[in-house]
Amino acid sequence: MPQWNAVVSVYEHGWKEVFERLGAFGHLTKTPFLNVLLLATDDIPTLLHKLREGMGNDPASWSFLSRLIPVSHTFTFQSAYAFEKMAQEAIFNWLPVLAGHSFYVRMRRRGFKGKLSSQDEERFLDTILLEALEKRGSAGRIAFDDPDYIIAVETVGSWAGLSLWSREDLHQYPFLKFD
């Protein structure tokens, strides 16, 4: 599987449109998971801007797109332990941003059924973040209703991608769907 920095979910019968519309931004790769593709693009900010603009001008023409989640950190893993270790390393980069703010972790798992639980991993990552923030003297808090930040965790088989999104990002980019 090639390197990637966005997970794309399309509605059924949206394959032609996704390749026509998003193929201009980078390389799209099909995955073994239903209606899920990976996108490798050199310019996430332009992608986000163009998607927002296109959806604002002609929302019906983007109806094939269920969600698109860019990620800033990717890694491969072969076990729950390896996933947790590498995810922890990635999210600790965001401690200064999360200090004193509300947040939660949202994970979408594709693959590793029975070996990796989205809810368990969300709780694990929430807990280690809260503990690390407390140790730094800048406590954060978990809030599911209008948090300051959401940490997105996307897994596709043995690949994982993580990203941090602010409340403002969520308002600005309606295709970032976490619930």
Side-chain angles (χ1 to χ4, degrees):
M1 200 173 287
Q3 292 294 328
W4 55 280
N5 54 359
V7 176
V8 181
S9 297
V10 297
Y11 291 110
E12 198 168 340
H13 307 297
W15 290 99
K16 180 181 176 196
E17 290 88 351
V18 75
F19 279 96
E20 286 175 359
R21 294 294 187 94
L22 296 181
F25 295 103
H27 181 75
L28 282 162
T29 304
K30 290 182 180 181
T31 72
F33 302 97
L34 184 64
N35 298 332
V36 176
L37 299 102
L38 298 177
L39 174 65
T41 181
D42 293 330
D43 194 351
I44 291 289
T46 297
L47 170 67
L48 293 172
H49 173 75
K50 293 290 187 182
L51 280 174
R52 184 184 68 222
E53 186 179 84
M55 289 179 165
N57 293 337
D58 186 8
S61 72
W62 290 90
S63 62
F64 65 89
L65 185 62
S66 171
R67 57 194 294 271
L68 185 141
I69 307 294
V71 296
S72 55
H73 296 77
T74 60
F75 58 85
T76 60
F77 62 96
Q78 297 301 320
S79 67
Y81 173 79
F83 169 82
E84 289 174 353
K85 182 179 177 200
M86 296 172 94
Q88 181 176 338
E89 288 175 20
I91 63 173
F92 276 9
N93 290 315
W94 296 318
L95 286 172
V97 176
L98 296 172
H101 291 97
S102 63
F103 63 90
Y104 71 89
V105 175
R106 176 62 70 217
M107 180 173 178
R108 300 263 182 179
R109 178 195 53 78
R110 297 161 197 90
F112 269 73
K113 186 175 182 177
K115 298 178 185 175
L116 199 63
S117 162
S118 297
Q119 289 178 335
D120 290 348
E121 298 305 329
E122 288 170 352
R123 277 192 292 275
F124 169 76
L125 295 172
D126 281 338
T127 299
I128 63 169
L129 280 170
L130 289 172
E131 290 171 356
L133 289 167
E134 186 68 35
K135 284 181 186 176
R136 294 173 63 121
S138 53
R141 64 184 175 83
I142 302 301
F144 295 102
D145 186 31
D146 197 31
D148 297 316
Y149 294 95
I150 296 175
I151 297 168
V153 179
E154 300 283 329
T155 68
V156 181
S158 62
W159 279 91
L162 291 84
S163 54
L164 178 68
W165 301 96
S166 69
R167 178 185 298 121
E168 293 75 26
D169 293 330
L170 300 179
H171 292 296
Q172 193 172 7
Y173 306 116
F175 44 86
L176 297 174
K177 298 176 186 171
F178 296 103
D179 292 324

